[in-house]
Amino acid sequence: MIRFENVYKRYPNGRDALASVSFRLERGEMAFLTGPSGAGKSTLLKLIALIERPSRGTVLIGNRNTSKVSRRRIPEFRRRLGIVFQDHKLLSDRTVFDNIALPLVIGALRRREIGRRVRAALDQVGLLGFEKHFPEALSSGEQQRVGIARAIASRPELVIADEPTGNLDPGLSREIFGLFERFNEVGVTVLVATHDLGVIAERDYRHIRLAGGKLAAADSS
Amino acid sequence: MGRVRHLLSLHAQNLLGAMGRIARQPVNSLMTIVVIAIALALPAGFRILLNNVQILSGSWEGVIDFTVYLAVDVEIERAQELMSEIEARPQVADVILVSREAALEEFRSYSGFGEALDALEENPLPHALVVRPVNDLEIDMLATELESLAGVDFVQLDTAWVERLGAILSLVRRVIDMATALLSFAVVLVIGNTIRLEINTRREEILVIKLVGGSDAFIRRPFLYTGFLFGLAGGIVAVITVAVGLRLMASPARTLAELYGSTFAIAGLTLPQTLLLLGGSAILGWAGAGIAAGRHLRAIEPS
Ligand SMILES: Nc1ncnc2c1ncn2[C@@H]1O[C@H](COP(=O)(O)OP(=O)(O)OP(=O)(O)O)[C@@H](O)[C@H]1O
Ligand SMILES: [Mg+2]
């Protein structure tokens, strides 16, 4: 599903964020991306979401070479990807329903189908009945679950998350990770960047460790 | 069928959304609309006035009378002879004899030189014939013919001022054309600027939409609708402004026309003109928004 081949990323200011990174994540796999601050976790996820482009090397997503995706094709590419952000990135002037519906509206789905999918996504994150609320009326953990519902509403094969539990207490973090596990159980490929080493230590998932832009030797599973 | 309905409902949603955004900032929106309306009403109003002047001058042009001045020593009998002779010509519809006495009397009452004229021992004016041709074809030839008749001093053809007026009107028309072009450009700029501000305030939203896969076209669409609505609203206000302005002019214009014994009434915006103005303003709004969106949306990229 994800293949990095000898990927380098140098930012315009000369900063080398990733160097010689190669790894694969198979379809249906779930992995955590860990490493100290500044290790390049966010950069790696941005290469997957085509927010940044590699300076060298190849990034393949679902056998598609991201270097070959033109600027015009990026939206279509992103629609097949679920992205979860640390700061949720919800639209404060739209209801929970409208936030989750956004990718579906973009995908030009029928209204009835959108309604069904939004409710299904809300059900999966345990927020049924919150459709008419505005994000600000929700707790941080609930907002993050809305963000996750939006990421999965269009039923992507791949979900990536950048520190989805960054602002949450361990109990809430566990809940969120549990959600990702459940998606993975139904076949979604999941890659989560996180600092929450304590919570993921309780789990038996693959770690991809980054340090100073390089893969750390032990890529445990 | 389902596809068409789906598209229609998308358009309706976009339209409603754009209305909502315009209504959310009533003061700013109103100011934008008024500025657009003024920029559109000025050229439209002047064009209408020009059209009216042209209609008026056209109605004069059709009935150019000319005045045949007889030599001062020609007596009234010869004048009457000439009158019947000219009236018999097929190109002539009507001839009126203005005797030198009548001319003096008229001059006395209109010029205000009454007393000065009384001081004259002799009436200095000749007899004259006012000739109305059947139509305005070949009037130059007719004039030349009349001028060659015995006893005719000269023929004054009143086309010169009509031609001059025509030349002035086409100059004015050209000026209005240029003003229309410039003010249309101003409308595009005003709407472009409004859309630019709107894009800035919705920056975060645009970023999120791009992150979840919104295409440029998807992001641009609501702004195009907003621009379209601003243009249309400005056009509607402009039409109302022009109509009210013409209404205010109608009564003084009628009084003026009556003084000249004319039934002329100011012509307002015709339906095609109204539709042209509304359609044009909506297109200008759409274009202004499109240009602004093209320039400013590209710069907003997630990082
Ligand atoms: N847009 C950018 N321009 C320049 N340098 C950048 C940019 N983004 C990140 N960097 C640099 O690249 C390196 C990797 O950053 P990145 O955000 O990927 O780290 P991270 O592992 O996500 O860190 P954190 O855990 O703090 O989020 C850092 O040294 C950072 O300063
Ligand atoms: Mg980061």
Side-chain angles (χ1 to χ4, degrees), chain A residues 71 78-79 94 106 111, chain B residues 13 205 210 213 216 301:
Chain A
R71 200 196 108 86
R78 284 192 189 136
R79 261 176 258 154
R94 301 196 194 185
I106 291 169
R111 196 195 292 251
Chain B
Q13 278 172 36
E205 184 181 350
K210 285 202 173 186
D216 288 350
E301 278 297 336

Side-chain angles (χ1 to χ4, degrees), chain A residues 11-13 15-17 35-44 46 52 162-163 195:
Chain A
Y11 282 108
N13 64 358
R15 186 107 195 163
D16 286 307
S37 184
K41 304 182 293 295
S42 297
T43 302
L44 192 152
K46 283 174 187 169
E52 295 287 349
D162 193 359
E163 308 203 21
H195 276 308

Side-chain angles (χ1 to χ4, degrees), chain A residues 46 51-52 71 75-76 78-79 83 85 89-91 93-94 102-103 105-106 108-111 150, chain B residues 2-3 6 9-10 13 24 202 204-205 208-216 218 298 301-303:
Chain A
K46 283 174 187 169
I51 296 167
E52 295 287 349
R71 200 196 108 86
E76 171 205 327
R78 284 192 189 136
R79 261 176 258 154
I83 314 179
F85 308 91
K89 295 211 187 300
L90 300 177
L91 299 176
D93 61 346
R94 301 196 194 185
L102 183 58
V105 172
I106 291 169
L109 265 68
R110 300 291 173 78
R111 196 195 292 251
R150 182 181 64 192
Chain B
R3 179 91 199 128
H6 183 59
S9 96
L10 275 184
Q13 278 172 36
R24 217 170 298 157
R202 296 174 66 201
E204 287 309 310
E205 184 181 350
V208 172
I209 294 174
K210 285 202 173 186
L211 278 172
V212 300
S215 64
D216 288 350
F218 180 87
R298 196 165 262 272
E301 278 297 336
S303 64

Side-chain angles (χ1 to χ4, degrees), chain B residues 205-255:
Chain B
E205 184 181 350
I206 292 164
L207 278 175
V208 172
I209 294 174
K210 285 202 173 186
L211 278 172
V212 300
S215 64
D216 288 350
F218 180 87
I219 295 168
R220 193 167 48 225
R221 198 174 303 139
F223 295 107
L224 292 180
Y225 276 85
T226 307
F228 175 86
L229 282 184
F230 268 125
L232 189 62
I236 291 170
V237 177
V239 167
I240 294 170
T241 308
V242 170
V244 169
L246 291 176
R247 198 65 187 271
L248 291 178
M249 274 180 237
S251 155
R254 203 176 321 113
T255 312

